[in-house]
Amino acid sequence: MAVDNVGGNGGAAGAQPTGDTGFQNQMAEFERVSQKVQAQAVAMRRITTELSSEKKVADERVQ
């Protein structure tokens, strides 16, 4: 999951940022991941709505 990678984009492997810089890096990564997840959720809702609409039309044709 992406949460495991928070703060893992900077520095050498195993290096942990310290103080305010580390916190700011984690918050920036959190914001990036959050926006990505929100965009995916919107896309999934759109797809679900479209498929539901198509199913309703198909069901009406059968009757």
Side-chain angles (χ1 to χ4, degrees), residues 29-42:
E29 180 69 8
F30 173 77
E31 183 68 24
R32 185 188 66 77
V33 171
S34 178
Q35 289 176 354
K36 181 179 178 183
V37 169
Q38 288 175 7
Q40 290 173 341
V42 169

Side-chain angles (χ1 to χ4, degrees), residues 5-60:
N5 294 329
V6 172
N9 290 340
Q16 292 288 329
T18 58
D20 266 354
T21 303
F23 179 75
Q24 290 173 356
N25 288 343
Q26 288 179 341
M27 289 303 295
E29 180 69 8
F30 173 77
E31 183 68 24
R32 185 188 66 77
V33 171
S34 178
Q35 289 176 354
K36 181 179 178 183
V37 169
Q38 288 175 7
Q40 290 173 341
V42 169
M44 291 301 294
R45 272 182 274 165
R46 183 183 54 80
I47 291 168
T48 301
T49 301
E50 288 176 9
L51 289 175
S52 177
S53 297
E54 289 178 15
K55 182 183 181 308
K56 287 178 184 177
V57 168
D59 288 346
E60 289 175 2

